[in-house]
């Protein structure tokens, strides 16, 4: 069979591991690997190329994706989805693997209702906001990038007796903020899933300040839109000289951790195994309770990811 892989939407560390394994494993199994460059835009424009080991040599340790990615506006139009499907047919592609997030899966779901695709998705986003899977490729590396930044900010915050508000990515999902706040011991965490209770936080901080606390670290999810307001509140209510750091796109890049490389390999193998045994699939590879599985894309895109209640409890946000 001829199988193709592409990235779509925001990139995430570990994509190159998945791409490399995709090519190597296809060849090992006697199948033909193809690479689609530039995401959905490249699919529309027929940037599809048969791959060899050479195309994926020396890429394991690199963040980003050597086949690149895109957020395609054209793909919202039927005529371009049709063109994309025709390109797959023209190149004789029997199965397609898409490394993407929620938006990309929605796009593929739409396309596969219109055309007979054999498609499988690999959840790939640092946001970890895809329903049906506990883990999305790239999350571990992003968490480590944030941890490294928070550890460094702690050093300067504690030296100057300041408050720091650090904004992390995640779109509407507070996963990165919640896990980073827990593992870095931040005093404040704001996530879109829970309304922040400033009077409760103030009471706790005033007590701690009276008993020697000299600095404060607040981790704020971008989806709250409250970074500036929390900084102002720390200045005005608690009298801290406050600095804001928006970590931004550094969270998306960087050398993938060992975990993300291993997960990239495993996701790719499961995706290929599944495509080889199906003629028409519309599923996503998911990871739950330490095992890989498959979930219908309809279920993935029609449900909303929920934060693990255990993590919420660890944050004590509801006090
Ligand atoms: O979905 C991944 C993500 O990095 C989000 O955390 C962030 O909100 C968004 O993408 C940024 O998108 P862009 O790279 O288009 O600015």
């Amino acid at each position: 069979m001829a199988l193709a892989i592409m990235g779509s939407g925001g990139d995430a560390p570990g994509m190159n591991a998945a791409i490399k394994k995709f090519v190597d494993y296809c060849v090992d199994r006697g199948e033909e690997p193809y690479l689609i460059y530039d995401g959905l835009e490249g699919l529309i424009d027929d940037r599809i190329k048969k791959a060899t080991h050479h195309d994926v040599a020396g890429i394991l340790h690199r963040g980003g994706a050597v086949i690149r990615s895109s957020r395609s506006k054209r793909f919202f139009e039927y005529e371009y989805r049709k063109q994309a499907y025709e390109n797959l047919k023209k190149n004789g592609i029997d199965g397609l693997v898409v490394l993407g997030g929620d938006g990309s899966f929605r796009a593929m779901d739409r396309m596969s209702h219109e055309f007979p695709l054999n498609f499988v998705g690999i959840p790939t986003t640092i946001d970890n906001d895809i329903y049906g899977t506990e883990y999305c490729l790239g999350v571990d590396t992003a968490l480590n990038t944030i941890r490294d930044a928070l550890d460094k900010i702690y050093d300067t915050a504690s030296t100057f007796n300041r408050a720091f508000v650090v904004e992390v990515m995640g779109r509407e999902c507070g996963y990165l903020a919640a896990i980073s706040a827990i593992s870095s011991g931040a005093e404040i965490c704001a996530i879109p899933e829970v309304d922040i209770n400033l009077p409760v936080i103030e009471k706790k901080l005033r007590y701690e300040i009276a008993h020697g606390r000299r600095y404060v670290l607040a981790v704020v999810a971008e989806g709250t839109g409250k970074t500036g307001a929390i900084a102002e509140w720390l200045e005005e209510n608690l009298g801290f000289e406050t600095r804001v750091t928006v970590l931004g796109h550094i969270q998306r890049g960087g050398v993938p951790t060992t975990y993300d490389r291993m997960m990239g390999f495993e996701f790719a193998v499961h995706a290929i195994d599944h495509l080889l045994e199906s003629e028409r699939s519309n599923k996503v590879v998911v990871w739950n309770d330490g095992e890989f599985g498959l979930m219908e894309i309809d279920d993935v895109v029609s449900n909303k990811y929920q934060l693990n209640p255990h993590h919420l409890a660890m944050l004590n946000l509801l006090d």
Side-chain angles (χ1 to χ4, degrees):
M1 271 168 94
L3 303 180
I5 192 166
M6 62 184 275
S8 176
D11 55 301
M15 283 173 89
N16 282 331
I19 293 161
K20 181 170 174 51
K21 183 54 110 182
F22 171 84
V23 171
D24 293 349
Y25 188 62
C26 273
V27 172
D28 288 352
R29 292 208 47 171
E31 315 297 338
E32 290 180 5
Y34 282 78
L35 300 175
I36 300 172
Y37 287 85
D38 301 308
L40 293 172
E41 285 290 293
L43 185 57
I44 292 169
D45 293 335
D46 196 17
R47 291 199 280 277
I48 303 176
K49 178 179 172 287
K50 193 163 176 193
T52 64
H53 288 305
H54 182 70
D55 292 304
V56 292
I59 67 169
L60 258 186
H61 60 290
R62 289 170 56 188
V66 288
I67 55 175
R68 301 186 294 274
S69 185
S70 59
R71 300 196 197 277
S72 174
K73 289 210 173 80
R74 287 191 296 167
F75 207 78
F76 286 108
E77 292 173 43
Y78 176 80
E79 82 176 271
Y80 290 112
R81 292 196 294 277
K82 184 160 177 283
Q83 194 168 313
Y85 176 70
E86 280 162 4
N87 287 334
L88 288 172
K89 288 291 108 193
K90 189 171 90 187
N91 287 278
I93 307 296
D94 306 299
L96 174 64
V97 178
V98 176
L99 294 152
D102 213 30
S104 309
F105 292 165
R106 240 173 262 282
M108 293 314 298
D109 188 35
R110 190 144 179 205
M111 187 175 172
S112 68
H113 280 107
E114 295 163 342
F115 306 99
L117 284 187
N118 190 21
F119 151 81
V120 65
I122 294 180
T124 305
T125 166
I126 63 164
D127 302 339
N128 216 27
D129 62 349
I130 299 181
Y131 177 82
T133 184
E134 282 169 19
Y135 192 75
C136 301
L137 193 57
V139 170
D140 188 58
T141 308
L143 284 174
N144 277 293
T145 300
I146 298 168
R147 179 199 43 74
D148 183 54
L150 292 178
D151 288 349
K152 287 171 176 153
I153 285 170
Y154 249 129
D155 290 345
T156 178
S158 56
T159 306
F160 266 83
N161 300 344
R162 281 173 170 168
F164 270 82
V165 179
V166 182
E167 182 183 287
V168 302
M169 279 186 165
R171 282 188 199 278
E172 296 308 310
C173 175
Y175 181 86
L176 288 177
I179 301 301
S180 301
I182 294 167
S183 56
S184 299
E187 285 68 44
I188 299 174
C189 176
I191 55 175
E193 290 84 350
V194 180
D195 283 337
I196 189 161
N197 191 338
L198 289 177
V200 169
I201 294 172
E202 180 168 347
K203 194 169 158 212
K204 188 165 163 268
L205 284 179
R206 282 199 187 282
Y207 176 83
E208 290 180 6
I209 291 162
H211 290 82
R213 167 166 298 288
R214 298 268 177 86
Y215 56 87
V216 169
L217 179 67
V219 177
V220 179
E222 63 175 357
T224 63
K226 291 198 168 129
T227 307
I230 291 172
E232 246 171 61
W233 178 81
L234 282 163
E235 289 251 2
E236 284 165 16
N237 280 53
L238 293 171
F240 276 105
E241 189 182 0
T242 303
R243 296 286 186 267
V244 173
T245 303
V246 177
L247 291 185
H249 286 76
I250 64 158
Q251 295 162 98
R252 282 246 294 269
V255 174
T257 58
T258 305
Y259 188 72
D260 272 327
R261 297 179 198 196
M262 296 300 285
M263 290 302 275
F265 295 156
E266 298 277 4
F267 270 123
V269 165
H270 282 81
I272 292 171
D273 284 346
H274 173 61
L275 284 180
L276 291 179
E277 62 200 21
S278 58
E279 277 178 13
R280 177 134 195 230
S281 162
N282 193 13
K283 293 196 165 76
V284 173
V285 183
V286 292
W287 166 257
N288 290 306
D289 298 325
E291 283 184 15
F292 286 94
L294 291 156
M295 185 174 276
E296 289 292 341
I297 199 164
D298 277 341
D299 292 335
V300 173
V301 299
S302 57
N303 286 290
K304 191 170 159 40
Y305 176 89
Q306 303 287 330
L307 280 186
N308 184 331
H310 177 63
H311 293 147
L312 284 177
M314 285 176 88
L315 274 172
N316 266 337
L317 291 177
L318 304 169
D319 283 0

